Amino acid sequence: MAADGVRTLLERVRYEVLPAKATEDAVLAHVPRDVVVTVTASPVKGLEPTLDLTARLRAHGYRVVPHVPARLLRDDAHLKEVTGRLRELGVDDVFVPAGDANPPAGAYEGALPVLRRLSELGGPFARVGITGYPESHPLIHDDLTIQAMWDKREHATYIVSNLCFDARVLGEWIARIRRRDVVLPVHVGVAGPVQRAKLLALATKIGVGESTRFLTRHPWWFLRFAAPGGYAPERLLGRAEEALTAPMAGVEGLHVFTFNQIAETERWRRALLDRLPD
């Protein structure tokens, strides 16, 4: 791997964590304050655990990006309440996916109406992230996901790509969205160095209903982790390096899905940075 491009990606990193009981302590023990922490939201447990962990990590001095899924918002009043609480915490960056809650908690079935409403409220957040899908969404055609990014571009400031394990697919997706004149910067989503057994254990801990959805929606993740030689994020970065570091790619950094293997993820990042030549 070329040192400069990969080093920049590793230094502009975001860690996605789940709001579990041990998450706060793990972040405090292992994550430097200059690393952005994003906090997911559960379709089963709702937004409260996300907002609670966001508040606690903000109190420790972290820059925190809470997920605010459209399908977890009950109504306009709830959106205003969540927005107000986050602004009081000093949060200036939110990630707004559609979410997996089925049925939705209220009237919002997709992210675009929430994004439009935030704009109508005066744009309370300086940064707003939306989802991109390098590998096909299980329910939505590829052309529609790219069209959705186009539709959201006026209300968002960056894209977070969903997990992708194929460097060629990732590179082609970046080229494709740029050809469609989607110019928002991209945070490329990659899985951290999680072991398959730990991923399975995590899915079980999430909860019976939610873990079933997790396993049903992402069975191929486990095949990737169980492939000969296992999964190594540095191999993916090496193969995708040219596509990710090209000036026209507009890749701003990495969004690392830690699956709450927070210590392992930070050790991997530090070790890889140490191995790269200055």
Side-chain angles (χ1 to χ4, degrees), residues 19-21 41-50 72 205-207 210:
K21 289 182 180 179
S42 163
V44 173
K45 299 177 182 177
L47 274 173
E48 283 305 314
T50 300
L72 289 182
K205 289 178 182 177
I206 289 173
E210 190 174 352

Side-chain angles (χ1 to χ4, degrees), residues 39-41 47 50-51 65-73 78-79 82-83 86 93-99 111 114 118 125 129:
V39 183
T40 67
L47 274 173
T50 300
L51 300 176
V65 181
H67 293 211
V68 184
R71 286 171 163 256
L72 289 182
L73 294 166
H78 190 201
L79 173 60
V82 169
T83 298
L86 293 176
D93 188 344
V94 294
F95 177 61
V96 184
V114 174
L118 287 174
F125 304 105

Side-chain angles (χ1 to χ4, degrees), residues 11-150:
E11 289 174 346
R12 298 176 182 174
V13 72
R14 297 152 55 105
Y15 285 166
E16 180 175 300
V17 303
L18 289 79
K21 289 182 180 179
T23 304
E24 179 182 5
D25 289 341
V27 170
L28 288 174
H30 303 289
V31 179
R33 294 300 194 283
D34 61 347
V35 170
V36 175
V37 179
T38 79
V39 183
T40 67
S42 163
V44 173
K45 299 177 182 177
L47 274 173
E48 283 305 314
T50 300
L51 300 176
D52 181 58
L53 181 58
T54 296
R56 287 184 278 124
L57 292 178
R58 283 289 301 154
H60 292 301
Y62 286 95
R63 182 180 168 196
V64 186
V65 181
H67 293 211
V68 184
R71 286 171 163 256
L72 289 182
L73 294 166
R74 296 187 297 274
D75 50 29
D76 187 62
H78 190 201
L79 173 60
K80 289 179 180 177
E81 175 198 339
V82 169
T83 298
R85 288 170 65 178
L86 293 176
R87 292 303 299 142
E88 287 179 5
L89 295 173
V91 170
D92 65 355
D93 188 344
V94 294
F95 177 61
V96 184
D100 294 332
N102 188 20
Y108 296 116
E109 294 198 4
L112 184 56
V114 174
L115 296 167
R116 285 174 174 157
R117 189 67 185 112
L118 287 174
S119 293
E120 292 168 357
L121 292 173
F125 304 105
R127 289 171 56 82
V128 178
I130 58 175
T131 307
Y133 296 95
E135 299 197 5
S136 295
H137 188 285
L139 302 176
I140 308 173
H141 190 278
D142 290 350
D143 286 341
L144 294 180
T145 64
I146 293 177
Q147 181 64 44
M149 285 186 284
W150 172 263

Side-chain angles (χ1 to χ4, degrees), residues 32 42 51 53 55 84 97 107 138 140 144 155 180 183 197 202 225 233 276:
S42 163
L51 300 176
L53 181 58
I140 308 173
L144 294 180
H155 309 285
R180 289 286 299 271
V183 298
L202 175 65
F225 285 109
L276 292 172

